[in-house]
């Protein structure tokens, strides 16, 4: 799958080509339509820009070390493989193909089986670690992510991000026994060192009242009974990622984003947009306590992976947006917590001086570091650099990268990859605090509403939106204020979000190309082919109807299918749908696309509708957002069943 | 000879007259009220969850664990303070609560609430709830509905897609084979899970408060509660109760059974032959032949237990405790113990 020998260009070469392409495109646009077949590599200012030749990357996401310390398993999301290396010599052993867009990986307790979750085909690959081959593929829930097996080897637990639950499977047959209610965006599972509990973290906050602080949780599962026995609240946390425990089980740490979305996003100084933190749990700290990873003028943008040194002396955290690994001295951390009066909230997140007490190193690694794991002796720390296709090997005695394992050689960088790196890197924002992916987690959304500055403080609060399928639906912003993606992602973002250096033209071109070409995940509510359930069929008829139930014609602008027309469900025009709030500057809103709408609660421009139902049961009293008040409850349910297929 | 015969007859009569009543379960009732931790004395529903007891009261959902009560209210996310019905998902441990303002799911201490505005729930007044596999079946004041917890899809059942003449649904009992809805004024609805078809059982005499032919069919159209166990339907109405085995009906009225009142709020089958009845005049148990009634005496208010045998003979049994009140709204079992929700407190019947 690697592009080898055909297009091994360094970035400068590629940029030269892009510039040439843009120049040629401009020439064409000037009227010299003599090259109808001309195919520029990228034209960032048009929605029909052509995707340049793609390079398939590995995109390593997670690493695992075998129990005997001999093997290094690397989960590669983009190449959809597990790559196996000799953990001592770093020599490649084998590449194993798994399912579509894998995300989670875990070893059985005995180490004889490797489990990989495949998020786009909703399966679990079971790999025999002796033969290094896939021996079974089991169906699981919607967008399976984290996976763990219990110590007895009887049950598998799989966190499903879309269905927000944890599936319990028979570890021998793959037969699903039940689903446990988790939080929204259930993604990562951790088995406690004694095996008695499983901890589930979530990339999205749980639904909450409009303009209240996000609330996430750690769902705690009793492994033996396979029931949720506790939920540790994570107040003001929007996204939580890896959780790890010290070997003695007395201290746990979870990496998380703490957004400041309830105040106007007017600056980035002093953590204006985000705090990036760890919440510590366990008997070492008593009640959970949140500690910042940020420094006063340098942020730890988007922490992801967490690992304790085997001797509990250090915690290492990958910082995806800051392209580094942070090393924390555990003794100093616990001393800091014990020595300082605990805030009532249990959070030190606002204290940007705090981390100087316990962060002892900030180790530069590759682009977008994610998963990490220790060698058995704890001397080496392997870090997956997702957007660089490398594994950094950190010498934990010096806290420096001692070696880098390349997954692809030579490392060709495509325009798309530059765009993706830009999307995930916080280097463009003031003091490196945020990037696109701070709010668009894993290129999706964050489930939050934000008060952006340009509309005025407290004015035009807006819901954050999904980016998939964004190509060809301009103008952008809820009020349609930005005509195209370069404007949306360029000057507006730089001025009001990054508050820092401007992208150069090619960086912006790369970024918009990446965003424009994000793949849309499979819709879980659609049946195979074009079939629909009876409820979806009935809902579709309501969506397309031109008469109300009293036989009166519905005005064109008041039909669902008019404003939400086309494959993406938007005619790109502005309408007043009666949802203007006192804090809104105007009433005209662009018809929202319907792509994957079932996933993206809350709804409406300001996120005031917590569910699809509330769009019509609460916020459409005058039938301005489509003629719906003649519908019965079961008909409204049918309409929603159809919308979920979009 | 005559003398011997007379003596024998007298002895027999005497033995019959003084024969011990049938062995029916004896309980020592411990009662809970606001005085010892309940948030309200008006208890609509009770649910046994292992060692935990959930009580749906007019002022919150209370859970009894480790000899202490904890109460969840609307502040905790409960859909409404008045909790009318409760059901346990035995696989996941989640508790479902039907309230006067929606349906709540209590899972690991978190409460998620579904209302007619924020979800596909047909109506906020949830009289009954029952969990079957990954489906939650709900009885509301505007029909029944089913939530598939895996897909999130709501399916509504009402006059448009079932033989439901009235949509005031009071109770539901769901199993993998059949689902029964107790419909207030529209008899008993049966849903076959395999064929996905509905059937309906009505009072065959068409009279609302008269029984023309005994055991002809469902006793009355105003069905308040249903319990399907061991392929037997136990149905409660405000005018007597019924048992249906799929072919034959057997009805229970005060005049021909040990039922203390025809006005029955709740019914809970133990198995094919045994059931408990919650009436406005006490708690009753039927073992397939005999009846026992547990209540404060209607006259004196003192604890009372009566046993009625197959011949209709009623015997008083000396007891020192009784359920907190005669108006019984909910019943659940904890091993051989029983928990009873009443209009004036929650009772724990400890089997003696």
């Amino acid at each position: 799958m690697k592009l080898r020998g055909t297009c091994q260009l360094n970035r400068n070469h590629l940029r030269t080509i892009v510039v040439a392409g843009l120049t040629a495109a401009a020439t064409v646009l000037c009227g010299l339509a003599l090259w109808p077949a001309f195919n520029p590599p990228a034209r960032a200012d048009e929605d029909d820009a052509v995707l340049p030749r793609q390079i398939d990357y590995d995109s390593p996401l997670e690493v695992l070390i075998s129990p005997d310390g001999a093997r290094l398993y690397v989960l590669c999301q983009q190449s959809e493989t597990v790559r196996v290396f000799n953990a001592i010599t770093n020599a490649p052993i084998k590449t194993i193909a798994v399912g579509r867009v894998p995300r989670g990986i875990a070893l059985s307790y005995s180490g004889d089986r490797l489990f990989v979750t495949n998020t786009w085909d909703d399966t679990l690959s079971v790999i025999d670690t002796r033969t290094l081959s896939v021996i079974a593929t089991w169906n699981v829930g919607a967008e399976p992510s984290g996976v763990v097996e219990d110590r007895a080897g009887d049950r598998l637990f799989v966190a499903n991000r879309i269905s927000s639950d944890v599936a319990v499977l028979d570890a021998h047959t793959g037969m699903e026994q039940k689903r446990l209610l988790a939080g929204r965006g259930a993604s990562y599972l951790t088995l406690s060192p004694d095996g008695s509990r499983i901890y589930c973290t979530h990339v999205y906050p749980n639904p909450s009242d409009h303009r209240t602080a996000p609330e996430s949780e750690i769902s705690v599962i009793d492994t033996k009974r396979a029931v949720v026995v506790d939920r540790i609240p994570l107040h003001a946390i929007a996204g939580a990622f890896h959780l790890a425990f010290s070997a003695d089980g007395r201290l746990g740490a979870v990496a998380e984003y703490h957004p400041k979305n309830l105040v106007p996003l007017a600056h980035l100084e002093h953590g204006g947009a985000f705090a990036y933190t760890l919440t510590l749990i366990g008997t070492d700290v008593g009640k959970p306590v949140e500690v910042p990873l940020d420094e006063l003028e340098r942020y730890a943008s988007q922490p992801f992976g967490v690992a304790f040194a085997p001797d509990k002396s250090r915690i290492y955290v990958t910082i995806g947006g800051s392209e580094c690994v942070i090393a924390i001295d555990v003794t100093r951390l616990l001393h800091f917590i014990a020595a300082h009066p605990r805030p009532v909230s249990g959070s030190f997140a606002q204290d940007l001086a705090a981390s100087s007490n316990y962060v002892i190193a900030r180790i530069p690694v590759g682009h977008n570091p994610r998963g990490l794991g220790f060698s058995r002796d704890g001397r080496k720390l392997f870090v997956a650099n997702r957007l660089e296709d490398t594994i950094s090997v950190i010498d934990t005695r010096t806290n420096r990268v001692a070696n880098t394992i390349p997954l692809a050689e030579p490392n060709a960088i495509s325009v798309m990859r530059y765009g993706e790196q830009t999307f995930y890197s916080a280097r463009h924002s003031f003091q490196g605090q945020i990037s696109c992916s701070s709010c668009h987690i894993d290129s999706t959304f964050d489930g939050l509403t934000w008060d952006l500055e340009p509309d005025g403080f407290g004015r035009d609060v807006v819901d954050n939106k999904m980016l998939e399928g964004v190509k060809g639906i301009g103008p952008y912003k809820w009020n349609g204020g930005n005509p195209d993606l370069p404007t949306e992602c360029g000057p507006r973002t730089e001025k009001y979000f990054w508050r820092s250096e401007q992208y150069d033209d090619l960086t912006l071109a790369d970024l918009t190309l990446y965003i424009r070409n994000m793949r849309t995940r499979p819709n879980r509510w659609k049946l195979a082919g074009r079939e629909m359930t009876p409820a979806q069929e009935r809902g579709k008829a309501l969506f397309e109807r031109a008469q109300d139930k009293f036989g009166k014609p519905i005005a064109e602008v008041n039909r669902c299918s008019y404003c939400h027309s086309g494959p993406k469900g938007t005619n790109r025009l502005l309408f007043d749908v009666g949802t203007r709030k006192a804090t809104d500057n105007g009433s005209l809103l662009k018809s929202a696309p319907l792509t994957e709408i079932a996933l993206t609660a809350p709804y409406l421009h300001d996120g005031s509708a917590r569910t699809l139902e509330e769009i019509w049961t609460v916020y459409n009293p005058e039938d301005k957002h489509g003629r719906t008040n003649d519908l019965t409850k079961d008909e409204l349910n049918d309409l929603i069943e159809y919308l979920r297929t979009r | 000879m005559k003398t011997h015969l007379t003596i024998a007859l007298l002895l027999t009569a005497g033995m019959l007259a003084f024969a011990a009543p049938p062995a029916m379960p004896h309980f020592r009732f411990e009662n809970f009220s606001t005085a010892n931790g309940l948030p309200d004395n008006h208890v609509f529903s009770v649910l046994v969850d292992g060692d935990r007891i959930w009580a749906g009261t007019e002022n919150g959902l209370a859970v009894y664990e480790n000899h202490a009560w904890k109460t969840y209210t609307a502040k905790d996310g409960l859909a409404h303070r008045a909790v009318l019905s409760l059901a346990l998902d035995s696989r996941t441990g989640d508790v479902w609560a039907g309230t006067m303002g929606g349906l709540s799911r209590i899972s690991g201490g978190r409460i998620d609430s579904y209302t007619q505005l924020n979800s596909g729930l047909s109506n906020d007044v949830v009289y009954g709830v029952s969990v079957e596999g990954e489906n939650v079946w709900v009885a509301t004041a505007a029909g029944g509905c089913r939530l598939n917890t895996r897909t999130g899809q709501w399916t509504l059942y009402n006059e448009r897609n079932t033989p439901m003449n009235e949509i005031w649904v009071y109770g539901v009992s769901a199993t993998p084979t059949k689902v029964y809805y107790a419909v207030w004024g529209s008899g008993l609805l049966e849903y076959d899970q395999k064929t996905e078809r509905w059937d309906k059982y009505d009072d065959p005499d068409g009279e609302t408060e008269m029984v023309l032919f005994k055991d002809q069919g469902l006793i009355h159209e105003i069905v308040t509660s249903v319990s399907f166990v061991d392929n037997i339907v136990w149905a409660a109405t405000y005018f007597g109760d019924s048992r249906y085995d799929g072919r034959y009906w057997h009805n229970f009225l005060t005049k021909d059974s040990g039922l203390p009142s025809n006005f029955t709020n709740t019914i809970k089958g133990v198995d094919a032959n045994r059931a408990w009845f919650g009436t406005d005049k006490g708690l009753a148990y039927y073992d397939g032949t005999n009846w026992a009634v547990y209540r404060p005496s209607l006259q004196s208010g003192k604890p009372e237990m009566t046993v009625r045998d197959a011949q209709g003979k009623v015997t008083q049994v000396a007891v020192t405790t009784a359920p907190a009140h005669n108006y019984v709204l909910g019943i659940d079992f904890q091993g051989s113990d029983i928990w009873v929700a009443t209009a004036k407190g929650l009772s724990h019947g400890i089997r003696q």
Side-chain angles (χ1 to χ4, degrees):
Chain A
M1 295 295 282
K2 287 289 171 193
L3 188 69
R4 290 192 172 95
T6 55
C7 190
Q8 295 162 1
L9 305 175
N10 64 31
R11 189 174 188 196
N12 289 334
H13 288 151
L14 208 67
R15 286 184 169 228
T16 306
I17 290 173
V18 173
V19 170
L22 287 169
T23 306
T27 307
V28 171
L29 292 172
C30 285
L32 299 176
L34 300 176
W35 271 359
F38 178 73
N39 215 8
R43 298 188 312 189
D45 56 344
E46 295 175 21
D47 279 332
D48 59 349
V50 176
L51 188 64
R53 184 170 189 166
Q54 290 213 50
I55 303 173
D56 291 321
Y57 292 98
D58 273 332
S59 300
L61 186 65
E62 301 283 0
V63 295
L64 270 183
I65 310 297
S66 61
D68 63 3
R71 282 179 180 164
L72 169 67
Y73 299 102
V74 181
L75 179 65
C76 298
Q77 193 164 51
Q78 198 162 339
S79 61
E80 299 174 343
T81 60
V82 174
R83 302 195 64 186
V84 189
F85 294 85
N86 182 312
I88 311 301
T89 66
N90 301 336
I93 297 173
K94 189 171 181 182
T95 298
I96 309 162
V98 291
R100 296 192 65 196
V101 194
R103 181 178 290 144
I105 186 169
L107 277 161
S108 61
Y109 186 57
S110 62
D112 62 340
R113 296 194 297 176
L114 188 65
F115 305 106
V116 174
T117 57
N118 307 304
T119 61
W120 278 35
D121 54 18
D122 296 347
T123 61
L124 179 86
S125 300
V126 184
I127 296 168
D128 184 324
T129 55
R130 288 163 296 185
T131 62
L132 294 179
S133 57
V134 175
I135 55 172
T137 302
W138 295 333
N139 292 322
V140 283
E143 210 165 299
S145 300
V147 54
V148 296
E149 188 185 55
D150 66 8
R151 286 284 172 81
D154 293 331
R155 284 180 171 141
L156 272 175
F157 296 79
V158 180
N160 299 314
R161 182 173 288 190
I162 284 181
S163 48
S164 296
D165 50 28
V166 175
V168 183
L169 312 182
D170 183 313
H172 306 291
T173 65
M175 188 73 72
E176 184 173 312
Q177 298 171 341
K178 56 184 169 180
R179 297 265 182 100
L180 306 177
L181 180 69
R184 187 178 185 204
S187 292
Y188 302 102
L189 297 177
T190 304
L191 190 66
S192 62
D194 66 3
S196 66
R197 293 285 188 273
I198 292 167
Y199 294 78
C200 179
T201 57
H202 311 81
V203 296
Y204 304 127
N206 288 335
S208 59
D209 290 340
H210 188 227
R211 297 300 284 163
T212 57
E215 300 286 348
S216 190
E217 68 177 51
I218 303 170
S219 311
V220 185
I221 297 167
D222 182 313
T223 312
K224 193 172 181 182
R225 294 169 54 211
V227 297
V228 175
V229 291
D230 194 12
R231 298 176 191 274
I232 301 170
L234 297 176
H235 177 64
I237 299 302
F241 303 86
H242 278 198
L243 184 153
F245 279 98
S246 57
D248 62 6
R250 294 177 54 85
L251 183 62
V254 57
E256 58 202 14
Y257 302 179
H258 180 134
K260 314 283 182 69
N261 64 313
L262 296 183
V263 294
L265 186 55
H267 63 83
L268 293 185
E269 294 92 337
H270 303 116
F274 278 90
Y276 299 106
T277 64
L278 295 179
T279 284
L280 307 173
I281 59 175
T283 51
D284 277 353
V285 292
K287 288 184 178 178
V289 57
E290 184 186 15
V291 293
L293 297 167
D294 303 314
E295 299 171 24
L296 197 55
E297 294 182 340
R298 189 169 62 159
Y299 295 89
S301 185
Q302 302 156 60
F304 178 83
V306 184
F308 275 81
D311 64 2
K312 198 182 170 181
S313 62
R314 303 277 187 272
I315 303 172
Y316 288 86
V317 186
T318 56
I319 311 296
S322 302
E323 294 149 352
C324 69
V325 172
I326 280 178
I328 292 169
D329 184 298
V330 172
T331 303
R332 291 168 64 173
L333 174 66
L334 294 177
H335 180 262
F336 168 81
I337 292 167
H340 290 75
R342 187 88 58 100
V344 175
S345 65
S347 173
F348 290 100
Q350 311 305 333
D351 182 359
L352 292 178
S355 65
S356 63
N357 291 280
Y358 43 80
V359 171
I360 58 170
R362 192 167 161 126
I363 308 158
V365 290
H367 285 286
N368 199 229
R370 293 294 192 105
L372 73 174
F374 277 98
S375 61
R376 281 198 74 184
D377 60 8
R379 291 184 177 179
K380 290 195 289 188
L381 181 67
F382 298 92
V383 178
N385 300 310
R386 187 177 72 92
L387 295 179
E388 197 165 279
D389 274 16
T390 59
I391 304 296
S392 294
V393 185
I394 294 172
D395 182 332
T396 55
R397 291 168 297 191
T398 63
N399 281 333
R400 290 184 178 172
V401 173
N403 194 6
T404 299
I405 307 171
L407 300 184
E409 284 191 73
N411 198 6
I413 304 297
S414 72
V415 176
M416 279 281 281
R417 168 109 331 178
Y418 274 122
E420 191 171 6
Q421 289 175 348
T422 303
F423 188 92
Y424 281 89
S425 175
R427 68 177 62 172
H428 300 282
S429 67
F430 180 71
Q431 294 176 343
Q433 186 173 143
I434 55 175
S435 73
C436 308
S437 55
S438 294
C439 298
H440 296 284
I441 293 168
D442 284 345
S443 302
T444 60
F445 59 99
D446 59 5
L448 301 176
T449 59
W450 290 85
D451 180 6
L452 308 181
E453 183 197 3
D455 310 296
F457 287 6
R459 308 293 300 174
D460 282 353
V461 171
V462 289
D463 175 45
N464 186 13
K465 294 198 287 190
M466 185 92 150
L467 293 180
E468 290 172 7
V470 77
K471 180 180 179 180
I473 61 165
Y476 297 94
K477 285 186 72 176
W478 279 99
N479 63 13
N482 286 330
D484 50 35
L485 272 179
T487 309
E488 174 81 4
C489 302
R492 170 178 174 265
T493 298
E494 290 163 347
K495 182 174 181 181
Y496 295 113
F497 293 163
W498 301 166
R499 298 182 185 270
S500 184
E501 66 184 66
Q502 299 210 348
Y503 296 133
D504 59 59
D505 290 346
L506 287 174
T507 300
L508 179 57
D510 298 349
L511 174 64
T512 54
L513 196 75
Y514 167 69
I515 294 171
R516 198 176 270 150
N517 289 287
M518 281 181 185
R519 295 185 296 169
T520 303
R521 70 202 57 219
N523 185 300
R524 268 62 179 198
W525 284 265
K526 273 184 179 170
L527 301 180
R530 294 192 167 196
E531 282 187 40
M532 288 187 173
T533 67
Q536 290 167 352
E537 289 278 11
R538 294 192 298 269
K540 183 171 185 286
L542 291 169
F543 184 85
E544 294 171 346
R545 70 184 181 149
Q547 280 190 336
D548 70 11
K549 289 177 65 183
F550 304 104
K552 292 182 179 175
I554 301 174
E556 193 173 51
V557 295
N558 222 15
R559 300 173 192 164
C560 305
S561 56
Y562 176 73
C563 302
H564 296 287
S565 60
K568 294 182 179 176
T570 174
N571 65 2
R572 304 160 65 172
L573 301 176
L574 304 182
F575 299 93
D576 177 0
V577 293
T579 56
R580 181 180 182 179
K581 305 294 192 312
T583 53
D584 289 333
N585 288 330
S587 57
L588 290 177
L589 299 166
K590 197 194 95 173
S591 64
L594 300 181
T595 308
E596 295 287 5
I597 194 154
L599 309 181
T600 59
Y603 300 102
L604 297 179
H605 67 287
D606 62 349
S608 51
R610 289 171 298 176
T611 61
L612 283 169
E613 284 86 354
E614 284 189 347
I615 295 173
W616 298 285
T617 59
V618 178
Y619 295 103
N620 192 32
E622 298 173 17
D623 270 346
K624 293 179 79 172
H625 196 165
R627 172 76 167 122
T628 57
N629 284 315
D630 62 328
L631 299 179
T632 61
K633 184 67 178 168
D634 32 10
E635 288 167 335
L636 186 57
N637 286 359
D638 289 341
L639 178 62
I640 288 168
E641 283 304 307
Y642 169 67
L643 291 173
R644 285 178 173 147
T645 68
R646 298 298 303 264
Chain B
M1 190 65 183
K2 264 189 178 178
T3 308
H4 287 159
L5 187 62
T6 304
I7 291 171
L9 284 172
L10 284 172
L11 279 173
T12 306
M15 284 172 67
L16 284 172
F18 294 100
M24 299 295 271
H26 288 220
F27 297 95
R28 178 173 58 82
F29 286 95
E30 287 185 352
N31 297 329
F32 296 91
S33 66
T34 52
N36 49 6
L38 267 189
D40 196 285
N41 287 342
H42 198 173
V43 187
F44 293 107
S45 50
V46 61
L47 174 73
V48 174
D49 172 14
D51 293 333
R52 290 191 296 187
I53 305 299
W54 298 83
T57 81
E58 193 165 313
N59 263 312
L61 174 61
V63 58
Y64 186 65
E65 190 171 24
N66 298 324
H67 306 289
W69 287 98
K70 177 185 178 182
T71 301
Y72 295 98
T73 67
K75 285 182 182 173
D76 303 304
L78 197 66
H80 192 272
R81 64 180 169 81
V83 181
L84 306 181
S85 52
L86 292 165
L88 175 70
D89 185 335
S90 56
R91 302 171 316 147
T92 64
D94 293 353
V95 170
W96 292 82
T99 79
M100 288 290 282
L103 176 70
S104 294
R105 179 184 196 172
I106 302 94
S107 175
R110 191 179 100 205
I111 301 180
D112 296 336
S113 287
Y114 304 88
T115 70
Q116 63 189 44
L117 295 183
N118 73 17
S119 76
L121 181 69
S122 53
N123 189 275
D124 281 350
V125 180
V126 180
Y127 290 115
V129 59
S130 182
V131 178
E132 164 268 313
E134 62 195 22
N135 292 315
V136 179
W137 296 78
V138 189
T140 82
C145 44
R146 180 185 67 183
L147 169 64
N148 183 316
T149 56
R150 178 170 300 208
T151 65
Q153 183 178 1
W154 292 85
T155 306
L156 271 49
Y157 304 109
N158 48 42
E159 80 282 6
R160 287 182 287 276
N161 56 0
T162 76
M164 192 184 293
N165 300 326
E166 298 282 345
I167 57 171
W168 203 2
V169 186
Y170 250 41
V172 58
S173 179
T175 71
T177 55
K178 298 279 179 66
V179 178
Y180 289 90
Y181 274 120
V183 189
W184 204 99
S186 190
L188 191 65
L189 254 66
E190 176 190 272
Y191 179 74
D192 187 306
Q193 296 262 34
K194 191 175 180 183
T195 64
E196 299 183 349
R197 289 186 176 171
W198 290 90
D199 206 347
K200 186 168 187 276
Y201 301 99
D202 290 302
D203 180 0
D205 58 33
E207 297 290 338
T208 55
E209 297 184 25
M210 293 175 63
V211 179
L212 299 180
F213 299 100
K214 183 173 165 57
D215 295 339
Q216 192 181 10
L218 180 69
I219 191 75
H220 200 275
E221 286 294 280
I222 298 180
V223 186
T224 55
S225 176
V226 60
S227 175
F228 184 58
V229 55
D230 288 355
N231 290 318
I232 297 294
V233 180
W234 298 88
T237 83
Y238 282 163
F239 299 91
D241 304 316
S242 296
R243 175 187 181 275
Y244 180 55
D245 64 8
R247 186 168 185 180
Y248 298 109
W249 289 86
H250 183 80
N251 292 331
F252 306 99
L253 294 164
T254 51
K255 65 181 182 183
D256 55 16
S257 76
L259 199 61
S261 169
N262 290 336
F263 190 96
T264 310
N265 294 310
T266 187
I267 193 165
K268 195 167 177 72
V270 179
D271 54 31
N273 298 311
R274 298 179 296 163
W276 287 83
F277 304 73
T279 79
D280 65 339
K281 290 186 174 61
L283 171 71
Y285 171 64
Y286 174 61
D287 71 357
T289 305
N290 309 292
W291 290 81
V293 174
Y294 311 83
R295 64 185 176 187
S297 166
L298 299 177
Q299 286 76 38
S300 67
K302 292 181 178 174
E304 176 182 278
M305 176 182 170
T306 58
V307 174
R308 181 186 187 276
D309 66 17
Q311 286 71 42
K313 183 185 176 190
V314 177
T315 308
Q316 291 277 348
V317 178
V319 291
T320 57
T321 61
H325 194 261
N326 284 329
Y327 202 91
V328 177
L329 290 157
I331 297 166
D332 204 1
F333 313 126
Q334 187 178 36
S336 56
D337 288 1
I338 190 167
W339 286 82
V340 187
T342 83
K344 286 194 177 175
L346 178 72
S347 299
H348 178 198
I350 302 164
R351 185 74 179 265
Q352 302 297 296

